[in-house]
């Protein structure tokens, strides 16, 4: 495989952060193991990027002093560091454009001189944030690729968890199509990489250059070496790991587990914090399970992984999850996932590694999960089998190395160094009918 010279746009990539910032860095690092990658990131992330001594060919730090200060001040004082705010995406639009314009001005001479084979925009992953790069590259021979992008998941009907989280601004999402560069971003892109079945369906009109690569990945080092034995007479260790916000639906997980918690057959650990914590603690009291539930609050990533390795099952019925990185981490740690068959977790979990429930209504979801939990309570051989298969599945398909290999196949096709890869999504959804 020949090494490509990649100009990688990932403004928020940061190895010391969480969520998409960490994902962007991890993906970029895996690509840098295979190719000569020039990473273009915000100057505020430069120190963290250089501390890791990652194998990037060059790190280009883009500084926007006044805009960076406005950005940081607004996140702290307007959004109160609430990265779940639905209004954050339109707020980010001008900052995203400004960053890429600065990046173009910094790199255009080298791009035009032919120093790069391809431009890949890795971050932001949200498809409603367009890129001016395809337009700016229109007179160059350097192709532009975007992705994996992920977003556009509709809100399921009939769930209070969704109703309590949905914002009026969600109704304006489709207006992004009229923003500057929104059309040229995808029309001029040489390839579009979708990170979910939903996003793949949304961009199906570009199917000739559309590919699926999952948004989330995990470091191979996090995959458990030996599966912890499952004793028949031990309690089933359940865990929920995530922000305690309505749409994560931790309340449904507690209600489903309640019969086993009351009877002493299981113990439930809740890792995370948020506005729902008090209500969830009151729910455990009303269900009579407070003695069998431990609320741990926020933990470091290392501590959270230790908790996952000690768990048998991760109960995570989030009703609207784009990616669900924690599901991949649970599989890697040997915790069998229980998820909703919707969005990212529905794409990730297969029948041979975990359980998926249909998003019908709240009481039915609880009933479905209760039935699946009962299977594992009384069949530890099945639990052990699912755990082993989940770890193998992650090692083969969901590491950052595997993801970088898949993206490489797309990039090689774009620059005519390889055949067109066959990378379909796990589910083929009809355009506009991705609601469960």
């Amino acid at each position: 495989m020949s090494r490509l010279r990649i100009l990688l746009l990932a403004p928020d990539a940061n190895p010391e952060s969480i969520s998409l910032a960490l994902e962007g860095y991890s993906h970029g690092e895996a690509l840098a193991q295979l190719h000569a990658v020039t990473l273009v990131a915000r100057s505020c992330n430069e120190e963290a990027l250089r501390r890791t001594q990652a194998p990037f060919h060059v790190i280009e730090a883009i500084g926007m002093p006044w805009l960076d200060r406005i950005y940081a001040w607004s996140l702290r004082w307007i959004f109160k560091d609430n990265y779940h705010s639905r209004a954050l995406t339109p707020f980010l639009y001008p900052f995203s454009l400004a960053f890429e314009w600065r990046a173009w001005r910094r790199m255009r001479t080298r791009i035009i001189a032919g120093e790069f084979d391809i431009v890949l925009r890795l971050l932001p992953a949200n498809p409603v944030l367009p890129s001016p790069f395809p337009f700016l590259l229109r007179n160059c021979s350097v192709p532009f690729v975007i992705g994996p992008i992920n977003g556009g998941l509709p809100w399921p009907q009939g769930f209070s968890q969704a109703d309590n989280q949905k914002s009026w601004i969600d109704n304006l999402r489709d207006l992004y199509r009229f923003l500057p560069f929104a059309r040229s971003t995808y029309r001029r892109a040489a390839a579009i990489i979708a990170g979910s079945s939903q996003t793949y369906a949304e961009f199906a009109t570009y199917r000739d250059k559309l590919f699926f690569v999952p948004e989330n990945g995990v470091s191979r080092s996090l995959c458990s070496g030996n599966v912890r034995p499952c004793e028949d007479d031990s309690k089933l260790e359940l865990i929920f790991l995530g922000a305690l916000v309505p749409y994560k639906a931790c309340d449904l997980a507690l209600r489903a587990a309640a019969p086993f918690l009351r009877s002493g057959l299981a113990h439930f650990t809740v890792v995370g914090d948020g506005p729902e914590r008090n209500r969830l603690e009151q729910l455990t009291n009303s269900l009579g399970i407070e003695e069998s539930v431990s609320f741990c609050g926020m933990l470091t990533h290392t501590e959270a992984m230790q908790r996952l390795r000690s768990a048998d099952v991760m109960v995570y019925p989030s009703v609207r999850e784009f990616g669900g990185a924690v599901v991949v981490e649970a599989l890697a740690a040997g915790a069998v996932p229980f998820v909703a068959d919707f969005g990212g977790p529905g794409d990730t979990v297969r029948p041979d590694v975990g359980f998926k429930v249909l998003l019908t209504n709240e009481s039915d979801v609880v009933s479905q999960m209760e039935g699946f939990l009962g299977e594992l309570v009384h069949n530890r051989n099945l639990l052990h089998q699912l755990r082993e298969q989940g770890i193998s599945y992650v090692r083969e398909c969901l590491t950052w190395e595997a993801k970088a290999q898949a993206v490489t196949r797309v990039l090689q096709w774009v620059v005519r160094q390889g055949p067109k890869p066959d990378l379909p999504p796990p589910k083929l959804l009809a355009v506009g009918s991705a609601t469960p």
Side-chain angles (χ1 to χ4, degrees), residues 350-363:
R350 306 185 314 201
D352 61 330
V353 301
F355 297 89
K356 297 191 285 189
V357 298
L358 298 175
L359 283 183
T360 48
N361 56 64
E362 291 183 36
S363 60

Side-chain angles (χ1 to χ4, degrees), residues 16 22 26 48 50 66 99 106 116 141 214 231 286 319 332 392:
E16 299 173 4
L22 180 58
S26 300
R50 297 196 185 280
W66 283 102
F99 172 84
R106 168 84 63 88
F116 302 101
S141 60
E231 304 293 339
S286 65
V319 299
S392 296

Side-chain angles (χ1 to χ4, degrees), residues 305-320:
M305 287 303 300
Q306 290 173 346
R307 296 279 183 168
L308 279 176
R309 291 190 185 96
S310 300
D312 297 310
V313 176
M314 186 183 74
V315 193
Y316 192 74
S318 177
V319 299
R320 188 175 184 265

Side-chain angles (χ1 to χ4, degrees), residues 120-132:
L120 171 62
R121 193 185 90 164
L122 201 56
L123 294 177
N126 195 325
V128 306
L129 293 174
S131 171

